[in-house]
């Protein structure tokens, strides 16, 4: 049986399950690093699970964490700005404490806190492609369109620039890639 890495996202699910833009961007970035890796195959092994907010991610870590870890691996991506406030740890230096508290909900899982939030990653995508960020929070369909276009319409070099610009997203890519390489070799 193939091991599955599940990534819990704060995002809302897209109307089209295969159009979840942030997850598609993650998979494409992993493929950029692993030249021989097929995007379709990678998508079968690394599953995105949008949970409609940080409360949904926390609930999934607590209630589904053990089951998901038994299937392979578990990562959670949360926006750094609101989750620290939710835990009453407003100081940026509390980031490790917040991540540790989340990991404790599902021992064996890992957590990435996206610096500042998903909009900061969207802003970087728009700016790297020569656009101007409006400052307004886009809806789920518009976010998916931006992330999907960045995943499929631009070069690996530009995606690498994005990872360099948003280091927390780079950490997510690195963790997922390492998990895939470790488990892919043992099959």
């Amino acid at each position: 049986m193939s091991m599955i890495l599940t990534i819990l996202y704060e995002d809302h699910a897209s109307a089209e399950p295969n159009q979840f833009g942030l997850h598609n961007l993650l998979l494409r970035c992993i493929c950029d690093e692993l030249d021989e890796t097929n995007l379709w195959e990678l998508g079968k092994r690394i599953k995105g699970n949008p949970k409609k907010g940080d409360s949904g991610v926390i609930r999934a870590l607590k209630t589904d964490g053990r089951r998901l870890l038994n299937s392979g691996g578990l990562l959670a991506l949360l926006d750094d700005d609101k989750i620290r406030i939710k835990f009453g740890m407003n100081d940026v230096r509390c980031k490790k404490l917040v991540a540790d508290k989340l990991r404790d909900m599902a021992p064996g899982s890992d957590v990435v806190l996206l610096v500042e939030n998903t909009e900061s990653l969207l802003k970087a995508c728009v700016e790297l492609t020569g656009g101007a960020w409006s400052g307004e929070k886009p809806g789920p369909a518009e976010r998916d369109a931006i992330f999907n276009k960045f995943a499929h319409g631009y070069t690996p070099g530009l995606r690498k620039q994005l990872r360099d610009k948003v280091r927390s997203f780079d950490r997510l890519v690195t963790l997922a890639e390492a998990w895939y390489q470790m488990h892919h070799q043992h099959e």
Side-chain angles (χ1 to χ4, degrees), residues 15-175:
E16 295 286 326
N18 294 333
Q19 294 305 312
F20 181 40
L22 181 53
H23 188 66
N24 291 341
L25 178 58
L26 168 80
L27 294 176
R28 179 60 72 184
C29 287
I30 294 170
C31 284
D32 291 345
E33 295 298 316
L34 306 172
D35 293 332
E36 78 286 350
T37 302
N38 176 307
L39 183 64
W40 181 80
E41 172 62 29
L42 190 67
K44 287 183 2 186
R45 301 287 307 281
I46 300 177
K47 299 289 186 181
N49 192 340
K51 300 310 273 182
K52 298 182 184 175
D54 56 13
S55 295
V57 172
I58 290 168
R59 189 171 32 262
L61 286 169
K62 288 178 180 178
T63 61
D64 299 330
R66 178 60 33 218
R67 178 183 57 79
L68 293 169
L69 282 161
N70 286 340
S71 297
L74 178 60
L75 282 171
L77 178 69
L78 293 120
D79 291 350
D80 180 45
D81 58 357
K82 292 184 183 146
I83 195 69
R84 281 187 290 108
I85 294 167
K86 186 173 209 138
F87 287 148
M89 299 178 190
N90 298 343
D91 190 331
V92 171
R93 293 171 293 185
C94 295
K95 192 175 198 170
K96 182 180 177 341
L97 295 173
V98 171
D100 287 346
K101 188 171 183 163
L102 290 160
R103 281 183 200 100
D104 289 346
M105 293 176 188
S109 66
D110 208 343
V111 173
V112 174
L113 299 178
L114 189 59
V115 174
E116 305 163 3
N117 51 41
T118 304
E119 284 71 34
S120 60
L121 184 61
L122 283 165
K123 179 182 178 187
C125 288
V126 169
E127 290 175 349
L128 283 168
T129 57
W133 180 249
S134 70
E136 293 186 30
K137 184 176 180 171
E142 189 178 355
R143 273 196 318 265
D144 282 340
I146 292 168
F147 285 140
N148 280 321
K149 184 173 182 181
F150 207 87
H152 303 295
Y154 293 101
T155 65
L158 199 59
R159 287 188 291 275
K160 178 66 173 123
Q161 287 179 40
L162 176 67
R163 292 174 61 188
D164 291 342
K165 190 169 186 162
V166 184
R167 299 303 299 167
S168 52
F169 178 68
D170 179 65
R171 182 168 181 272
L172 178 69
V173 173
T174 300
L175 287 170

